[in-house]
Amino acid sequence: MSLLSLVMAAAAVATPPPPTDAATLAAIEATCLDYIDGQLEGDPARVSRALHPDLAKRAVVGDTPYERLGLRRMSKDELVELTRQGVLKTPKEQWNRSCRVLDVTAETAAVRLETPWFVDHFHMGRFDGRWVIVNALWHSKPR
């Protein structure tokens, strides 16, 4: 490889990506809010539209008698059903949540959601211009 090729490759790696436009950030945040506000409202349709059909929602549980490096697993259907049951339904005056976009590429985003009860880390994907949550890794906060 020539010196010029090395310099050009290094410059390409060192160049930061362009800033994400406000409309994209707003669309990503809206998906995060559909996920959490839908659960807090007990609105399964709102939660469902935020989720990829093949959602992988997981929590670290650690080693169990049945599994090394155990994970609690949940599908889109399970999360929507829990929402239908009102498991997280909470009066609006008690809502305290934040969505923070950590990273965005053309078709993917990493987002952190925090509530008083848990923290979720999302991987989102953009499909036909619409952002949905593909993966969620979460943990409960101590009560």
Side-chain angles (χ1 to χ4, degrees), residues 101-121:
V101 178
L102 305 174
D103 189 35
V104 180
T105 67
E107 297 163 342
T108 65
V111 180
R112 183 180 195 274
L113 164 67
E114 185 163 358
T115 75
W117 312 284
F118 56 84
V119 174
D120 271 287
H121 291 92

Side-chain angles (χ1 to χ4, degrees), residues 63-123:
D63 292 345
T64 72
Y66 310 103
E67 184 177 29
R68 172 120 173 81
L69 305 175
L71 295 170
R72 177 174 175 208
R73 295 164 177 86
M74 188 182 304
S75 69
K76 175 183 179 176
D77 291 341
E78 290 168 311
L79 182 57
V80 170
E81 179 55 31
L82 289 171
T83 302
R84 184 174 284 104
Q85 294 171 16
V87 171
L88 283 181
K89 195 166 184 177
T90 304
K92 196 163 192 168
E93 60 274 4
Q94 295 177 22
W95 292 10
N96 179 14
R97 78 282 189 266
S98 65
C99 296
R100 187 164 42 120
V101 178
L102 305 174
D103 189 35
V104 180
T105 67
E107 297 163 342
T108 65
V111 180
R112 183 180 195 274
L113 164 67
E114 185 163 358
T115 75
W117 312 284
F118 56 84
V119 174
D120 271 287
H121 291 92
F122 299 138
H123 290 134

